Amino acid sequence: MERFEYAVKLTPADEGGFVVTCRDLPQLITQGEDVADALTEAADAMDEVFAAYMQGGLPFPAPTKVRRGEHQVSPPAETVAKAALYVAMREAGITKVQLAKKLGVDEKEVRRLLDPHYGSKLPRIAQAINVLGHRLVIGLETA
């Protein structure tokens, strides 16, 4: 099962708060006033990094194990669903036009399903993933 969770490191900043980095996603650099704020900012920054990967047609790096002192973070749930669709399409070697045909919709709708900045309905994303032979799984874990 593909998981979209990455280890982030919080480094105390000279001016206070924390600088957040991720060794698996080197583009992710942000900061927060305290640990909770830094982790929230990390998820937001990860959302933007995921958008850049998807818009650039790049594969997502495999997440490495969390090391001592690191925290595991994932982007918002809708972004994770869109990333799952993106990965399923890449694995299937299918284009947006081909997926649109399978779904019986216009290609613009598939573009929206993959656009991290467009609000898509989760059942529609799950349907597209199912057409590609995968299943979208949502879980609940203790933080």
Side-chain angles (χ1 to χ4, degrees):
M1 179 167 84
E2 185 82 29
R3 293 187 70 109
F4 298 94
E5 296 177 307
Y6 291 86
V8 297
K9 180 179 178 182
L10 277 57
T11 305
D14 293 338
E15 64 277 2
F18 295 91
V19 174
V20 184
T21 56
C22 177
R23 66 189 133 76
D24 297 326
L25 303 169
Q27 306 86 342
L28 191 154
I29 301 172
T30 190
Q31 63 184 44
E33 297 298 318
D34 54 35
V35 171
D37 184 47
L39 294 176
T40 298
E41 291 298 326
D44 185 52
M46 196 173 288
D47 185 40
E48 292 303 319
V49 171
F50 271 44
Y53 274 84
M54 291 189 292
Q55 290 167 347
L58 302 170
F60 287 106
T64 55
K65 291 188 179 197
V66 178
R67 295 179 185 161
R68 182 180 295 232
E70 292 181 329
H71 301 265
Q72 206 165 36
V73 174
S74 61
E78 185 179 355
T79 302
V80 170
K82 288 176 180 261
L85 174 58
Y86 173 79
V87 169
M89 286 179 67
R90 285 179 60 88
E91 285 178 0
I94 192 169
T95 66
K96 294 171 193 162
V97 171
Q98 291 168 324
L99 179 57
K101 195 171 199 175
K102 285 180 175 279
L103 291 169
V105 300
D106 190 88
E107 186 261 346
K108 284 185 270 185
E109 185 172 340
V110 174
R111 272 189 285 154
R112 287 186 208 118
L113 289 177
L114 291 166
D115 182 349
H117 300 116
Y118 184 86
S120 300
K121 296 187 181 196
L122 199 54
R124 192 63 161 155
I125 298 170
Q127 178 190 17
I129 290 170
N130 287 342
V131 164
L132 297 172
H134 293 273
R135 186 170 64 98
L136 181 63
V137 178
I138 298 173
L140 177 67
E141 293 179 346
T142 305

